[in-house]
Amino acid sequence: MYKKDFETTIGGQKVGLFTIANMHGLTAKFTNYGQRLVSLMVPDGHGVFDDVVLGYSTLEDYLKTNQKYYGAVIGRYANRIAGGRFTLDDREYELATNYGGNHMHGGKQGFESVVWKVDKISSNELNFSRMSRHMEEGYPGNVIVQVNYILTDTNELRIQYTAQTDQKTVINLTHHSYFNLRGAKMGSINEHLLIINADFYTPINANMIPTGILESVVATPFDFTEPKRIGKDLGQYHEQLKFGGGYDHNFVLDQQVKSEDGLIVAAKVIEPDSGRTMEVFTNEPGIQFYSGSSISSSILGKGGKAYRNGEAFCLETQHFPNSPNQSNFPSTVLQPDEKYESICVYKFNTI
């Protein structure tokens, strides 16, 4: 991976590759095109570093691939909105539809497909910002968004999102890295052990839109309240696994279980062979677990690797999908006198 392979201009705006690191050698590389986390080097149980996120070696490959969300920031609205429509104050807004007649991950040109301003970079911290203009992809309001990344010396990648609007709108931001704790070139993630701090999840219909109910995970393939291999129940016949093509569901986090700094303990992943672990903390009510069932691309990944289905997972902290159309879901409405604040922490360790 070479810095020069990310240096160009898109729409007259400069694009580059930016590196931060902590005192223990964890290193993250980002491009300001879509705020993509291009590489994340993490040690295993023997102190050997490897890249644990999927992606590409050049900006050109990111521009050509059909896997456009690798490592990107997602907005204005992460996940799906049914029919690409929602109503605020009796006015219906029509969004760009880009997924089976529905709106997904911000639309045809969401936050992953724009160039962000680099406001600050230091040895271990990086800050991006931009204004999302009124009616961008159909959303009301001029929204100023800032996203801050810090690699702490306790081996955390801390992501903090803030936003303010001049008009009532909806917003739901997340980070979309595809993780493989064995290493991005090391094949299946089915033997990873996963714990999700959730007694309920939000079932989906055949169009992958939540039905609006909260369903217990007990006696279903969605029970990750104790450590379980990601692949253990993937072969089961279950309508929800059929609809999602595997796991691609929002889990309702138990907000009573908190970390020392007051964040919700969302999930933990353990990779037995490498000894790497990853914990997820947030202030969000939900987390989307995706088991990588539709990974494919004609573009080779980093190191000439052809990525395949089931070779990465995503854990995206968020509000629930389709919340603007589900009054019983936590609200994603942002008022002009409010400040949107969302936190996601990925903490790495070893067994």
Side-chain angles (χ1 to χ4, degrees), residues 196-207:
I196 301 178
N197 175 33
D199 294 323
F200 296 89
Y201 75 107
T202 52
I204 56 178
N205 62 25
N207 292 318

Side-chain angles (χ1 to χ4, degrees), residues 161-287:
Y161 312 84
T162 59
Q164 292 181 288
T165 183
D166 63 359
Q167 185 175 328
K168 190 175 182 180
T169 192
V170 297
I171 190 167
N172 186 29
L173 306 181
T174 197
H175 178 76
H176 210 314
S177 272
Y178 287 61
F179 293 99
N180 186 327
L181 297 188
R182 293 179 66 200
K185 297 179 285 185
M186 297 300 291
S188 173
I189 48 89
N190 283 349
E191 299 302 312
H192 286 54
L193 300 174
L194 174 63
I195 306 165
I196 301 178
N197 175 33
D199 294 323
F200 296 89
Y201 75 107
T202 52
I204 56 178
N205 62 25
N207 292 318
M208 299 187 71
I209 302 296
T211 62
I213 67 171
L214 308 185
E215 189 166 298
S216 172
V217 301
V218 174
T220 77
F222 296 85
D223 189 349
F224 288 93
T225 54
E226 298 292 335
K228 183 174 75 174
R229 291 188 301 107
I230 288 175
K232 182 177 185 295
D233 295 326
L234 276 174
Q236 277 194 34
Y237 177 80
H238 190 283
E239 185 178 61
Q240 286 298 304
L241 292 177
K242 178 183 176 183
F243 287 163
Y247 296 106
D248 195 356
H249 294 75
N250 170 68
F251 287 74
V252 181
L253 295 175
D254 180 352
Q255 299 188 39
Q256 302 304 309
V257 183
K258 300 286 184 69
S259 65
E260 291 182 358
D261 57 358
L263 293 177
I264 299 164
V265 177
K268 183 174 183 178
V269 187
I270 303 163
E271 204 296 292
D273 290 343
S274 68
R276 292 186 183 95
T277 68
M278 184 179 84
E279 296 172 274
V280 188
F281 306 93
T282 189
N283 64 342
E284 292 285 346
I287 189 167

Side-chain angles (χ1 to χ4, degrees), residues 96 128 330:
F128 296 105

